[in-house]
Amino acid sequence: MAQDHLAASSPLPEHARLAAFAGEWDGEEMVFPSRWTAGGPATSRTVARMDLNGFYLIQDSVQMRDGKQVFATHGIFTFDRDDRTYKLFWYDSLGYTPPSPASGGWAGKTLTLVRGSLRGNARHVYEIINEDSYSLKIQFSPDAEGWSDVLTGVYRRIH
């Protein structure tokens, strides 16, 4: 009898751990001056859901400054059972296509994911504060050694 190659395996507990970020969130952010923006305070709205049989967290965010949308992101998070790391496929309104996903793992309540490209390295650090809030720090480094903040934020669940 032929094996059904379309039959999905079940998500692992590592996949389920990403559900901590599922839901609707309001964020207060600080954007640091960079080659992309002058910096300053911002707010954001994030909507995230577990989808595709529980294997992926799909996250969409819109950032506002001075009452106008200035930035948007689409992130897809998963756990790669082959190399045993978490992956983040990140797309944003700057329009750069990442050559590969960010990769990393959990240390306690902190999920750290790092991605390199020809423009440099990005590090996303998500820390669960409690079930209704988390923080995010996005950092940049040309050499993956000295990191500079690009964005910091605290996000609160909308009930």
Side-chain angles (χ1 to χ4, degrees), residues 21-27 29 43-49 57-63 73 75 77 126 134 136 155-158:
F21 300 111
E24 293 187 39
W25 307 85
D26 277 332
E29 299 175 330
T43 60
S44 69
R45 172 64 58 101
T46 299
V47 177
R49 70 188 188 280
L57 173 76
I58 300 172
Q59 180 190 72
D60 292 296
S61 296
V62 173
Q63 185 184 78
T73 66
F77 299 73
Y126 296 84
Y134 70 92
L136 168 61
Y155 307 85
R156 290 177 178 78
R157 186 180 304 277
I158 301 168

Side-chain angles (χ1 to χ4, degrees), residues 117-132:
S117 76
L118 295 176
R119 290 179 311 284
N121 301 279
R123 178 166 66 182
H124 296 232
V125 181
Y126 296 84
E127 183 174 359
I128 296 173
I129 298 168
N130 58 46
E131 69 179 28
D132 289 324

Side-chain angles (χ1 to χ4, degrees), residues 12-154:
L12 299 172
E14 289 87 349
H15 293 103
R17 192 164 185 191
L18 292 168
F21 300 111
E24 293 187 39
W25 307 85
D26 277 332
E28 297 290 327
E29 299 175 330
M30 178 54 65
V31 179
F32 292 83
S34 69
R35 61 184 173 191
W36 301 284
T37 184
T43 60
S44 69
R45 172 64 58 101
T46 299
V47 177
R49 70 188 188 280
M50 294 301 294
D51 209 338
L52 303 172
N53 294 330
F55 287 102
Y56 299 92
L57 173 76
I58 300 172
Q59 180 190 72
D60 292 296
S61 296
V62 173
Q63 185 184 78
M64 306 289 287
R65 292 174 76 182
D66 300 320
K68 297 180 182 140
Q69 179 178 323
V70 295
F71 190 62
T73 66
H74 180 73
I76 302 170
F77 299 73
T78 192
F79 178 73
D80 186 328
R81 64 181 80 227
D82 291 333
D83 72 6
R84 308 295 298 169
T85 62
Y86 286 86
K87 303 291 187 195
L88 168 58
F89 297 84
W90 177 269
Y91 304 92
D92 61 41
S93 56
L94 294 177
Y96 295 112
T97 301
S100 61
S103 185
W106 289 91
K109 293 184 174 188
T110 302
L111 174 61
T112 302
L113 302 148
V114 179
R115 176 185 80 252
S117 76
L118 295 176
R119 290 179 311 284
N121 301 279
R123 178 166 66 182
H124 296 232
V125 181
Y126 296 84
E127 183 174 359
I128 296 173
I129 298 168
N130 58 46
E131 69 179 28
D132 289 324
S133 61
Y134 70 92
S135 66
L136 168 61
K137 183 185 313 184
I138 299 177
Q139 299 175 307
F140 175 80
S141 172
D143 58 9
E145 291 184 17
W147 294 94
S148 299
D149 289 343
V150 173
L151 176 142
T152 59
V154 175

